[in-house]
Amino acid sequence: MDVEFEDLTVRVNSSWFNRDSGRRILKGVSGKFKAGQLSAILGPSGAGKSSLLNAISGYRSQGVSGRLRLNGVARDEARFRKMSCYIQQEDLLQPMLTLQEVMNFAALLKLPPGTGYKQRRVVVNDIQGILGLTECRHTRTEALSGGQKKRLSIALELINNPPVLFLDEPTSGLDNVSTSYTLRLLRTLAHQGRTIVCTIHQPSASLFQMFDHVYVLASGLCVYQGVTGELVPFLSSVGLHCPRHYNPADFVIEMTDGDDEDNIKRLSSAIKNGKVVQLTSADAKKSIPDFSNLPIEGLPLEEKIVAVTGSGEKYVDMDNGICLTCRADSSSWLEFCTLFRRMFLQIMRNKTGLKIQFYHHLVCSLAVGIVFWGKARDGNQFFNHMKFCMGIILFHAYTQCMVPVLTFPFEVKLLKKEHFNRWYRLTPYYMALQLSKVPTMTIFSQLFLTIVYVMSGLPMEFYRFFVFSVVGVMTAFVAEGWGLAIGSVFNVTNGSAVGPMTIAPFLGFAIYGFDFARDIPAWFMPILKLSFLRSGVIALIIVVFGMNRGFLDCNHEMYCHFKNPRIIIYYLDIEGVSPWQEILGMFAMLLFFRIVCFFGLKWRLRT
């Protein structure tokens, strides 16, 4: 499939309403990347290589103007996304899983729903064999070498055999051997009929010759487009003579890098900013077949090739008989089940994280239990009772809020990669995300609450303990929802500041006015209700002192003002308040935070 663009301009800091505002990164460039060729976008730093790749792949749409075509026809972005993939410079791979497991989950998500287990296994095994990943199939992704990670990133996108691949700096961070192997692999894949376009920064002379087609940028302009072997003659035609034993890639970058704009203007004018293509001899051109409009019937069955009709609406894997266009019909339920299994497996595999959470909840519960040992029965400990309720709520709030603030931004990067390449839709991912952590969060929270409840001396009543547990667990889930909402929008650095900063108002409202509760103005009460921490504290106070609790012990004191728990309830002005009312309010906040998280993710995917 031939990817074409004409008069393409990319601006940064442009608004949605005025695309002509902002600084121009690309300045009306044109070009064409043909099927069956390995194409490279070359240029000095800041030339616009990544911007061009992002624009023609559809990864960036804001600030982009110009005409994009596919096989000479105006491009339908929705259809193009189904038949292309974008592999980022950073190798973003799912942690805690082996290479085999990562590919199996990818096959479940990317192949059509009707694909059987044997077909999926054949596809996965074939790709592993072609890319040299068979020996490390049982190695976890975090233990793979740089070259293996890069090949795995390519392998994951080859599962549904897309006809168009875009790669951003595929050789970045690799040694010479891995770089050469990766480029030979990409060249082989391209010569099977795919359109493969990648950015690269100053390749060596031997690596440069591996590319069939080169597109050179400088200062946002196209200064060369054509066959690799014609670069030196083209430079000579405009008066720039490359020394005989000099790397052409280094030479063209040196001639176009710096403050001297004369060379750039001269080259761009000669190539008409990409509208002219430098072709090689007829014999060399024949070595690369034209795959752009090849009918399905004419494809050799022995090659793992993607067949594409002229309209670009249908493409199939000839070896396995899999219709890749059927992937759009995959059910949300299948995507949810697959993602839930993957997320839950990752949670269970994270032994270190689980141990940290276990000991954190265990040690903190024992510490709280020792500090408040038996004080829940003492009528003289009113202020300690208040600290007890606030401490439990604050423990759950900070524990569950900060974890997603610190970890979720990395998951968002993985989501952006997989969602852009159409592995799954956002809603199934979001539901799997919300439900996969429920078991572990509930178990650890219940461990903390059980130990604290027993050691504090609260009455051994099932219903009281049940409500006590519901309040604590609900606080944990609300706090986690707020942490996810922050992590969905901010990176780790900013989120670490936003998290505590936004929890502070909730905390302030949670402890406000308990010593003059009956004097708080009525108009101010709805504002206090916005704090889910206050709702949790009030619910726990009712659990501790309400629900028909009997008189407290006073250790033989002559006068014990709070011996009757009803006095505490009256003093705090929560008479007639049910803990379930506060729990319902917390549930409303939980829904609100989760909705904010969903739209935060949706916004991140759009940008």
Side-chain angles (χ1 to χ4, degrees):
M1 306 189 72
D2 296 345
V3 177
E4 305 170 46
F5 53 97
E6 186 176 352
D7 298 327
L8 189 67
T9 299
V10 175
R11 300 175 185 269
V12 294
N13 300 323
S14 61
S15 65
W16 290 99
F17 304 102
N18 185 8
R19 292 195 172 188
D20 294 331
S21 63
R23 183 171 63 91
R24 290 198 302 170
I25 301 298
L26 295 179
K27 305 169 183 177
V29 297
S30 302
K32 180 178 182 179
F33 299 112
K34 299 191 67 175
Q37 294 183 347
L38 176 60
S39 302
I41 301 175
L42 193 67
S45 298
K49 301 187 296 294
S50 295
S51 296
L52 175 60
L53 191 72
N54 292 341
I56 62 176
S57 66
Y59 194 74
R60 176 189 175 95
S61 58
Q62 184 177 0
V64 177
S65 60
R67 291 177 291 280
L68 299 173
R69 296 189 179 92
L70 198 64
N71 289 342
V73 181
R75 199 166 87 183
D76 185 313
E77 290 300 324
R79 290 178 179 172
F80 182 71
R81 287 271 300 277
K82 294 179 183 178
M83 58 185 69
S84 65
C85 71
Y86 183 95
I87 300 174
Q88 300 175 355
Q89 179 178 350
E90 183 180 3
D91 296 316
L92 298 171
L93 301 171
Q94 292 291 340
M96 301 298 165
L97 300 175
T98 65
L99 183 148
Q100 181 74 32
E101 290 168 339
V102 170
M103 293 195 68
N104 286 340
F105 281 119
L108 281 168
L109 292 167
K110 293 169 72 70
L111 294 178
T115 307
Y117 170 75
K118 291 184 178 180
Q119 284 182 302
R120 293 197 304 269
R121 186 176 62 181
V122 168
V123 171
V124 169
N125 291 343
D126 285 350
I127 294 175
Q128 288 177 353
I130 293 171
L131 274 64
L133 296 172
T134 304
E135 294 182 357
C136 56
R137 64 172 61 183
H138 299 300
T139 304
R140 287 198 183 182
T141 56
E142 53 266 32
L144 296 173
S145 67
Q148 290 170 338
K149 288 181 178 179
K150 182 62 67 178
R151 280 179 275 150
L152 177 56
S153 297
I154 298 172
L156 292 173
E157 302 307 332
L158 286 178
I159 285 176
N160 63 314
N161 214 355
V164 183
L165 285 84
F166 299 99
L167 302 97
D168 188 13
E169 298 281 359
T171 61
S172 176
L174 302 182
D175 56 36
N176 291 334
V177 176
S178 298
T179 298
S180 178
Y181 185 93
T182 301
L183 289 183
R184 286 200 306 270
L185 170 66
L186 293 176
R187 181 180 172 90
T188 301
L189 295 173
H191 288 183
Q192 290 174 353
R194 299 176 183 87
T195 304
I196 299 183
V197 184
C198 60
T199 61
I200 194 165
H201 185 71
Q202 281 191 278
S204 64
S206 59
L207 296 179
F208 182 67
Q209 296 301 321
M210 291 186 184
F211 293 100
D212 304 304
H213 180 272
V214 179
Y215 192 97
V216 185
L217 284 169
S219 298
L221 297 171
C222 176
V223 295
Y224 177 77
Q225 180 190 197
V227 181
T228 306
E230 291 298 310
L231 175 60
V232 173
F234 171 76
L235 294 174
S236 299
S237 68
V238 294
L240 299 175
H241 301 284
C242 178
R244 184 171 184 178
H245 298 292
Y246 207 83
N247 181 5
D250 291 338
F251 182 76
V252 70
I253 289 176
E254 290 174 5
M255 292 297 100
T256 56
D257 192 11
D259 297 330
D260 187 3
E261 298 289 334
D262 291 341
N263 290 337
I264 298 176
K265 291 180 180 178
R266 197 186 338 165
L267 291 169
S268 179
S269 177
I271 206 74
K272 294 185 179 179
N273 207 14
K275 293 182 178 179
V276 174
V277 181
Q278 294 295 313
L279 299 176
T280 185
S281 63
D283 293 337
K285 284 189 287 184
K286 290 179 182 178
S287 65
I288 302 174
D290 182 13
F291 292 93
S292 61
N293 292 292
L294 191 63
I296 294 177
E297 293 78 4
L299 290 177
L301 294 178
E302 67 272 16
E303 292 185 355
K304 294 186 176 301
I305 196 168
V306 174
V308 185
T309 64
S311 61
E313 296 183 9
K314 183 178 181 181
Y315 47 105
V316 297
D317 184 337
M318 297 302 297
D319 277 354
N320 300 297
I322 300 174
C323 175
L324 301 183
T325 53
C326 301
R327 186 164 64 92
D329 300 326
S330 61
S331 68
S332 297
W333 175 250
L334 176 62
E335 292 177 356
F336 165 77
C337 292
T338 304
L339 291 169
F340 180 86
R341 284 173 51 202
R342 188 179 74 177
M343 292 177 184
F344 191 74
L345 180 60
Q346 289 175 301
I347 292 173
M348 293 296 101
R349 286 273 180 83
N350 188 8
K351 303 297 183 183
T352 302
L354 292 175
K355 288 179 180 178
I356 290 174
Q357 290 187 67
F358 173 77
Y359 288 115
H360 170 67
H361 285 78
L362 178 63
V363 172
C364 289
S365 64
L366 292 173
V368 173
I370 292 171
V371 170
F372 295 100
W373 176 266
K375 292 183 179 180
R377 295 188 293 264
D378 193 344
N380 289 319
Q381 302 290 331
F382 168 71
F383 291 105
N384 282 328
H385 294 155
M386 299 296 295
K387 294 174 186 176
F388 172 74
C389 295
M390 293 178 185
I392 293 174
I393 297 302
L394 288 179
F395 168 82
H396 284 92
Y398 274 96
T399 296
Q400 302 302 337
C401 176
M402 292 309 299
V403 171
V405 166
L406 298 175
T407 60
F408 194 50
F410 175 74
E411 295 184 36
V412 172
K413 289 183 179 181
L414 284 169
L415 168 65
K416 291 179 70 175
K417 183 198 81 166
E418 295 177 349
H419 182 270
F420 179 80
N421 289 329
R422 298 184 69 87
W423 288 33
Y424 46 76
R425 285 157 287 197
L426 176 60
T427 302
Y429 169 86
Y430 180 76
M431 296 306 299
L433 173 70
Q434 303 304 312
L435 296 178
S436 60
K437 298 179 182 179
V438 169
T440 53
M441 283 184 58
T442 303
I443 291 172
F444 289 130
S445 180
Q446 195 60 56
L447 170 69
F448 174 89
L449 293 167
T450 301
I451 294 174
V452 168
Y453 187 93
V454 173
M455 295 182 68
S456 65
L458 285 167
M460 292 295 141
E461 302 172 5
F462 175 78
Y463 183 66
R464 190 182 301 274
F465 173 71
F466 173 73
V467 179
F468 182 84
S469 300
V470 171
V471 173
V473 173
M474 181 62 72
T475 304
F477 282 114
V478 177
E480 189 216 20
W482 182 234
L484 289 173
I486 295 172
S488 67
V489 176
F490 298 97
N491 58 29
V492 174
T493 303
N494 295 332
S496 299
V498 173
M501 182 179 67
T502 52
I503 285 289
F506 292 128
L507 175 60
F509 288 150
I511 63 178
Y512 175 80
F514 280 120
D515 52 344
F516 55 91
R518 304 190 70 84
D519 297 326
I520 298 177
W523 62 269
F524 195 61
M525 291 303 297
I527 299 178
L528 295 179
K529 289 291 184 181
L530 294 176
S531 171
F532 71 94
L533 298 181
R534 185 178 184 87
S535 297
V537 171
I538 292 175
L540 279 189
I541 291 173
I542 297 172
V543 171
V544 173
F545 299 110
M547 301 173 62
N548 299 318
R549 185 172 180 184
F551 288 100
L552 305 178
D553 299 333
C554 285
N555 297 326
H556 308 291
E557 296 286 342
M558 291 183 61
Y559 176 75
C560 184
H561 185 69
F562 294 109
K563 180 177 182 178
N564 187 349
R566 294 183 180 179
I567 296 176
I568 299 176
I569 299 297
Y570 172 82
Y571 180 76
L572 297 177
D573 195 26
I574 52 178
E575 297 168 293
V577 178
S578 168
W580 294 106
Q581 292 177 348
E582 302 300 326
I583 293 172
L584 184 62
M586 295 172 67
F587 183 74
M589 294 298 292
L590 181 147
L591 293 178
F592 174 74
F593 291 156
R594 305 280 168 163
I595 291 172
V596 170
C597 174
F598 179 81
F599 283 101
L601 291 176
K602 205 167 186 179
W603 174 74
R604 287 292 296 273
L605 294 178
R606 287 179 178 176
T607 57

